[in-house]
Amino acid sequence: MTDYFDLSRRRFLRTTAVAGAAVFAVPLLGRRAVPGAIASEAAAADSEARLFVALQPDGTVEITCHRSEMGQHARTAVAQIVADELEADWDRITIAQALGDKRYGDQNTDGSRSIRFNLERLRLVGATVRRMLRDAAAERWGVEPGSCRAEQHRVYHDASGRSLDYGELVEAVAGREPPTDVTPKDRKDWRYIGKGKAIVDMQDIVSGRATFAADVRLPGTLVAMIARPPVVLADVASVDDSAAREVPGVVDVIRMPSLTENPVDFNPLGGVAVLAEHTWAAQLGRDKLDISWTDSPNASYDSASFRGRLETACRESGDVHRSKGDVEAALAEAGDERRHSAEYYVPHLAQAPMEPPSATARFEDGVMEVWAATQNPQADQSLIAGLLDLPPEKVKVHVTLLGGAFGRKSKPDFSAEAAWLAYKSGRPVRVQWQREDDIRHGFFHTVSAQRLEAALDDGGRLTALRHRSTFPTINATFEAGAEVPGFETDLGLSDAPLAIPHIQAETGRAPAQVRTGWMRSVANIYHVFALQSFLAEMAHKAGRDHRDFLLEAIGPDRVIDFEAEGSKFDNYGADFDEYPFDTGRLKHVLRRATDMAGWGRELPARSGLGLAVHRSFLTYVATVVEVAVAEDGSLRIPGTWVAVDAGTVVNRDSVRNQMEGASVFSLSYALHSAITVKDGAVEQGNFDDYPVARMPEAPASISVEVVDSDAPPAGVGEPGTPPFAPALCNAIFAATGKRIRELPIGEQLRA
């Protein structure tokens, strides 16, 4: 193979999307400072106005987004917030992506916190620059600043009829000290915040002009593909790379740093990298490596037998995270006729973003520069600095667009791989993961087993609940041998919003034997699947309507005092005074979703409605799913209805989009997805054996209602995920009488 034509996915789109035109796209390789602008690079560390906003000489406002864009529309939302308070003309703004830099504060785009952490902060940024422009115009005119106003890219002095465009004030504000007594707009005056707005990157994405990590091309870049150990903590015992080096285009073969001890943290797994002039040669070369691997302490891990260990642990007393009343006595007093128990199981899952991990690195003049599809550029910076013994300020991390992430790309092992290889080879290197690499060598969503027991009173009301959950904790990624869960207990276990006299939440202990990490909505996935499925079972045992039973179990409208109810729930790190757990809001979304779906309406045979409701990431979401199950077990979803109360929202369209996407994401793991492990190695490798939902399987319609609220902003990217799977399984029971207590559903409907 001597000829190579690099027709990338992006290049293909660019050459096919624009008929009759030759379009050339410049990769996003950094930010250009404009003379005369309020430039972010030259900003003082204590000036957030200058850090986030650059006013160009022609009046264009460049707004810097310090969070990663991975389909959740963070760049659009940040622009809406700043532009609204700045009173900028929407058609005269541009968006720049921030480097990893501690001056921006927290840049980790996970936990559904981008708006929650930054709405007020960014409003103040925009209002500060608006004030600076107003004051500069007043000074030029020799009038009182209070007699001037800024509106839609101009400053007006109504008394004299004079006005100035923002572009005419650039020089006047460039050296002006930002004021400290700024007041943002009243909510009633918002122009962009709270409205739907077109996604700022959409045209670039659909036309192929957008830059994702795999699109970055630096002069002289080598492509690297890495043969990683099949079992975590295994190492290279021996390697014969002679055949790989004979592949045309292969330039070098380099051993990666070994990872043979816990904790694994975010470190690269190790292995052997093949560096080549192009992707195909790197792939062929890697396939020709002859590697023997050392033994690993995880080589005995078998997920099928491990399930039994988890289930056994759930039948025994565990560490208590919430205790109110006397659950044991209440269960014993209820007797078999008013007591019920069930066990649930959710396997390992992979985030499987559509774009596998990729990063490009260049080491030049003592500076390591990286372009990566990362959710957390400061984590990349820290890991790379430690790996290469460089000062953090000598590591620059550029954030490209992310083609999906779901938590995977907040772990920067792939960026560190690229940096290591660029450092060792002396040339720019792009590390490209393939789908098989992503499925087999990721940070997996943990496996879990749960057991729930509950009791009813003589009137069919829930009086007692014990929820036991056992799973390998994410803490093991950062702490060798950790088996005691941490924050996971707050995600659907210790925060059950039930007004019942007896409740207890417990966890068992289990070791982690694959790399474990967070995935969209994290432990809410398995805890809410079990709890909301089980409450539907209790409603059925009581002979009650599921919605009525659930509303009664949640109890009167109130703010829950979890500490008084024996819970260690930490409220996603938020202050309870600012973000109280309000059961009135929870019940409202439940009523709205069921009303939207026509709860209680007559349905055809083998059709059913199921519901689930949950508060996660401080947002209240209820989902109703309608299913139709054929005699052969095939499943259709005629409709899904979602009601969401996320407090103050910036872009209503994006909230709807996130609820729709979360529903389909949840459908994938509910129907199909399971990572299984044999002899320590993941058995799946691509979408043939780790399927995602296809279009014919998706709901025929997804209706979303965003509740109007002036409460503080809460999360949006993750809260739509947890309720869908239990609502789906509850609908299946309503249609067929078959209980689904383990995921994926797979062939259970045909059994």
Side-chain angles (χ1 to χ4, degrees), residues 54-91:
L55 182 61
Q56 310 294 358
D58 65 354
T60 299
V61 172
E62 183 181 81
I63 298 170
T64 296
C65 179
H66 67 304
R67 290 295 179 115
S68 300
E69 177 59 66
M70 50 192 175
Q72 85 285 29
H73 311 155
R75 284 156 63 117
T76 304
V78 166
Q80 284 180 261
I81 298 166
V82 176
D84 197 324
E85 291 289 350
L86 179 54
E87 269 296 327
D89 181 340
W90 187 258
D91 293 330

Side-chain angles (χ1 to χ4, degrees), residues 194-478:
K195 313 296 194 302
K197 209 69 183 170
I199 308 311
V200 296
D201 301 295
M202 186 61 71
Q203 288 303 313
D204 284 347
I205 291 171
V206 300
S207 63
R209 291 191 298 269
T211 300
F212 292 81
D215 301 320
V216 174
R217 295 290 186 271
L218 303 180
T221 297
L222 298 175
V223 179
M225 290 211 173
I226 302 172
R228 299 174 183 84
V231 181
V232 176
L233 300 186
D235 196 10
V236 176
S238 65
V239 58
D240 181 351
D241 60 15
S242 56
R245 291 181 181 275
E246 292 176 358
V247 174
V250 169
V251 174
D252 202 357
V253 178
I254 297 178
R255 281 279 301 270
M256 300 298 296
S258 299
L259 178 63
T260 57
E261 294 182 357
N262 280 314
V264 296
D265 210 307
F266 293 149
N267 293 299
L269 283 168
V272 181
V274 175
L275 283 65
E277 298 289 353
H278 49 77
T279 305
W280 182 238
Q283 180 178 331
L284 288 178
R286 182 180 64 172
D287 292 345
K288 291 183 177 295
L289 291 172
D290 184 5
I291 305 176
S292 296
W293 304 99
T294 64
D295 291 334
S296 163
N298 299 313
S300 62
Y301 181 46
D302 182 300
S303 58
S305 60
F306 190 68
R307 173 177 178 170
R309 174 174 176 174
L310 297 177
E311 291 173 340
T312 297
C314 283
R315 294 164 191 151
E316 302 169 351
S317 297
D319 298 319
V320 176
H321 301 272
R322 182 179 186 179
S323 183
K324 174 187 174 185
D326 190 336
V327 166
E328 193 66 39
L331 291 172
E333 291 172 5
D336 291 342
E337 71 282 357
R338 293 189 285 108
R339 187 174 61 228
H340 180 59
S341 64
E343 296 184 352
Y344 298 85
Y345 177 79
V346 177
H348 288 294
L349 300 169
Q351 298 90 351
M354 193 56 62
E355 173 205 31
S358 180
T360 296
R362 175 177 62 196
F363 187 63
E364 195 171 83
D365 298 328
V367 175
M368 179 59 69
E369 201 162 5
V370 177
W371 292 261
T374 176
Q375 293 177 244
N376 188 2
Q378 291 180 38
D380 297 52
Q381 185 181 45
S382 177
L383 179 62
I384 292 167
L387 185 67
L388 301 180
D389 196 23
L390 292 172
E393 62 270 18
K394 294 295 184 180
V395 180
K396 295 179 65 176
V397 180
H398 302 266
V399 182
T400 67
L401 290 176
L402 284 65
F406 313 121
R408 171 59 184 99
K409 295 171 185 174
S410 58
K411 296 98 171 165
D413 54 329
F414 57 96
S415 295
E417 290 175 336
W420 172 267
L421 292 171
Y423 187 81
K424 289 296 183 181
S425 69
R427 289 182 58 177
V429 174
R430 173 167 59 89
V431 166
Q432 182 61 60
W433 286 47
Q434 293 181 297
R435 177 62 56 202
E436 288 78 6
D437 300 319
D438 177 48
I439 297 295
R440 292 174 181 150
H441 302 298
F443 288 80
F444 300 100
H445 188 264
T446 196
V447 59
S448 70
Q450 296 168 80
R451 179 177 175 83
L452 290 92
E453 301 171 81
L456 302 168
D457 65 14
D458 291 334
R461 292 178 290 270
L462 189 69
T463 60
L465 173 72
R466 179 166 59 204
H467 187 171
R468 288 175 174 160
S469 179
T470 302
F471 51 89
T473 175
I474 292 172
N475 287 350
T477 300
F478 312 104

Side-chain angles (χ1 to χ4, degrees), residues 145-208:
S147 67
C148 303
R149 62 182 174 85
E151 183 177 346
Q152 285 297 275
H153 239 84
R154 296 189 73 84
V155 179
Y156 295 88
H157 183 242
D158 292 330
S160 65
R162 289 175 290 185
S163 70
L164 288 169
D165 184 84
Y166 284 0
E168 298 175 89
L169 294 166
V170 171
E171 292 184 6
V173 298
R176 186 175 292 270
E177 195 67 24
T180 58
D181 59 342
V182 175
T183 301
K185 292 180 181 179
D186 289 333
R187 178 182 291 260
K188 63 180 176 55
D189 296 324
W190 285 349
R191 184 185 300 274
Y192 305 131
I193 301 172
K195 313 296 194 302
K197 209 69 183 170
I199 308 311
V200 296
D201 301 295
M202 186 61 71
Q203 288 303 313
D204 284 347
I205 291 171
V206 300
S207 63

Side-chain angles (χ1 to χ4, degrees), residues 504-520:
Q504 187 149 310
E506 305 173 16
T507 57
R509 301 186 181 189
Q513 293 174 280
V514 295
R515 294 200 297 182
T516 301
W518 41 87
M519 190 178 88
R520 188 179 192 175

Side-chain angles (χ1 to χ4, degrees), residues 627-649:
V627 301
V629 185
E631 291 289 348
D632 64 359
S634 58
L635 180 71
R636 286 191 307 107
I637 305 177
T640 295
W641 297 266
V642 181
V644 52
D645 180 352
T648 297
V649 301

